[in-house]
Amino acid sequence: MDVDIPQKQGALVILCSTVCFMLADKVLDCGLIPKSAQTNTLSQWRYKNILLSLVHSFITGLLSVACFCWQPAMAIDMSSTYSWYSYYLVTFSIGYFIHDLFHMMLNDKSRQSYELVAHHIIVVSCFGLTIYIRRYVGYSVMALVVEVNSIFLHIRQIMQICGISREDNIYRLNSIVNIATYMIFRFPVWTWMIIWLVINQNLVPLPIYILGSISMAILAVMNIVLFWRLLRKDFLWKKGMGMHKKKE
């Protein structure tokens, strides 16, 4: 279904989304940060940042899956098949990533933030191109399906900020669901996106194909590294402690 949506409307949704996340950030300053996250300025900022990321992941993750349920053909024809709700979902997400990009650049100078800045620049560039040319919207929506897993990634981060132990039952439950959704919603999705790009390379203009290939390669490496970090910190740390005790 080829939908004729004026570019100005897409730009307006991006602007509104960015402003809404900026306002939400200010609202959280009005006594909505738990005491456990108020140990220092950085902890307060990280709590707000991750909570807004959780909101974005919850909305885009569930709605992206819904988009494919409502329009299954978009999973096969990710170049020209899309609907108005999938189009506006991508524009909404661009607004969030623009807000979060500047949020991190102004407040966080850690090494991990530089990785996320690179991720956000890639996402905004790719999503922005699809909205501008009004093609490959389905490809962008497919990329948003991984946000289902990001819900549990962000819950994990919030638990850490609030001082919940890795041995706590609720943390362990989230860790299991986190890894499970990682394997269900990240690896298969990225694999299909790479396969689709390879199969349809003759139908994709060379500049877009190069941009897509480089972006997918970078994001694939980042996802593998993140998966290993999760395994090491949430599941393998006990094994490491056990080996250390035996040596003692």
Side-chain angles (χ1 to χ4, degrees):
M1 179 168 56
D2 193 1
V3 183
D4 185 19
I5 301 176
Q7 291 177 338
K8 290 182 179 180
Q9 290 187 15
L12 181 61
V13 175
I14 293 173
L15 177 61
C16 290
S17 175
T18 304
V19 172
C20 284
F21 278 104
M22 290 175 62
L23 292 175
D25 176 68
K26 298 301 180 184
V27 169
L28 289 174
D29 285 326
C30 301
L32 298 179
I33 302 175
K35 291 184 178 180
S36 55
Q38 296 182 18
T39 54
N40 54 60
T41 303
L42 181 60
S43 293
Q44 293 183 47
W45 174 81
R46 287 191 68 235
Y47 179 85
K48 293 192 300 177
N49 180 265
I50 295 169
L51 186 60
L52 293 179
S53 297
L54 175 60
V55 171
H56 168 262
S57 294
F58 189 83
I59 294 173
T60 57
L62 298 184
L63 289 183
S64 61
V65 173
C67 284
F68 286 106
C69 291
W70 294 330
Q71 196 173 24
M74 189 168 63
I76 305 300
D77 180 15
M78 293 193 285
S79 60
S80 59
T81 300
Y82 67 95
S83 57
W84 63 268
Y85 42 83
S86 56
Y87 181 91
Y88 287 127
L89 180 63
V90 176
T91 57
F92 167 81
S93 188
I94 292 174
Y96 159 75
F97 281 115
I98 290 174
H99 162 264
D100 199 47
L101 176 62
F102 286 102
H103 211 221
M104 287 189 297
M105 292 175 67
L106 293 173
N107 295 281
D108 192 1
K109 306 298 181 183
S110 64
R111 183 175 65 87
Q112 187 177 8
S113 74
Y114 290 120
E115 295 175 6
L116 289 173
V117 165
H119 169 273
H120 284 17
I121 290 174
I122 291 172
V123 172
V124 171
S125 300
C126 294
F127 282 15
L129 179 63
T130 64
I131 294 305
Y132 180 74
I133 65 176
R134 283 174 286 191
R135 289 185 64 83
Y136 314 107
V137 175
Y139 200 79
S140 296
V141 177
M142 181 65 75
L144 287 174
V145 172
V146 303
E147 293 296 327
V148 173
N149 167 249
S150 295
I151 295 172
F152 303 99
L153 278 173
H154 297 319
I155 291 175
R156 172 183 179 272
Q157 291 176 302
I158 290 175
M159 287 182 180
Q160 290 176 334
I161 293 174
C162 294
I164 297 177
S165 171
R166 285 184 291 184
E167 297 184 346
D168 194 291
N169 288 335
I170 191 171
Y171 187 98
R172 293 168 63 184
L173 175 60
N174 184 75
S175 296
I176 294 172
V177 177
N178 188 21
I179 289 295
T181 54
Y182 206 107
M183 297 178 69
I184 295 172
F185 290 99
R186 282 190 184 263
F187 288 139
V189 167
W190 286 117
T191 300
W192 172 238
M193 290 179 71
I194 292 171
I195 291 173
W196 187 92
L197 194 60
V198 172
I199 292 175
N200 295 278
Q201 58 179 314
N202 294 330
L203 303 177
V204 180
L206 184 59
I208 296 178
Y209 180 77
I210 293 174
L211 175 63
S213 298
I214 293 174
S215 300
M216 290 303 299
I218 294 173
L219 294 176
V221 171
M222 293 177 70
N223 275 279
I224 292 171
V225 171
L226 177 58
F227 185 71
W228 168 245
R229 286 175 179 171
L230 291 172
L231 284 178
R232 180 169 55 86
K233 293 182 178 180
D234 287 354
F235 294 95
L236 302 180
W237 65 280
K238 282 189 175 182
K239 184 178 180 180
M241 289 179 63
M243 292 178 63
H244 180 70
K245 290 180 178 179
K246 287 182 179 180
K247 290 181 180 179
E248 292 179 342

